[in-house]
Amino acid sequence: MALTTINGAACAKCKFFDTEATNESLGLCRYNPPISQPSGDQAGVWPKVEASDWCGHFEPVAA
């Protein structure tokens, strides 16, 4: 059974979803700062999320 949200909230419709670095169905969540990596010589990364994912931080994209 798939979980649904009120008004179809999904990462693809969220202002924190960034598809510039990936494709239409996969993106980066820019809500929180990048996650640091175990080795100090690697840059931090943002979590990868599916366009159909959702969370409690959803904010719609401004029209």
Side-chain angles (χ1 to χ4, degrees), residues 17-53:
F17 185 67
D18 180 10
T19 59
E20 291 181 25
T22 60
N23 61 44
E24 297 282 323
S25 65
L26 188 67
L28 303 174
C29 178
R30 304 280 189 170
Y31 179 80
N32 290 308
I35 300 167
S36 62
Q37 299 303 297
S39 105
D41 61 340
Q42 293 179 332
V45 296
W46 280 274
K48 291 181 183 176
V49 294
E50 297 278 337
S52 60
D53 287 345

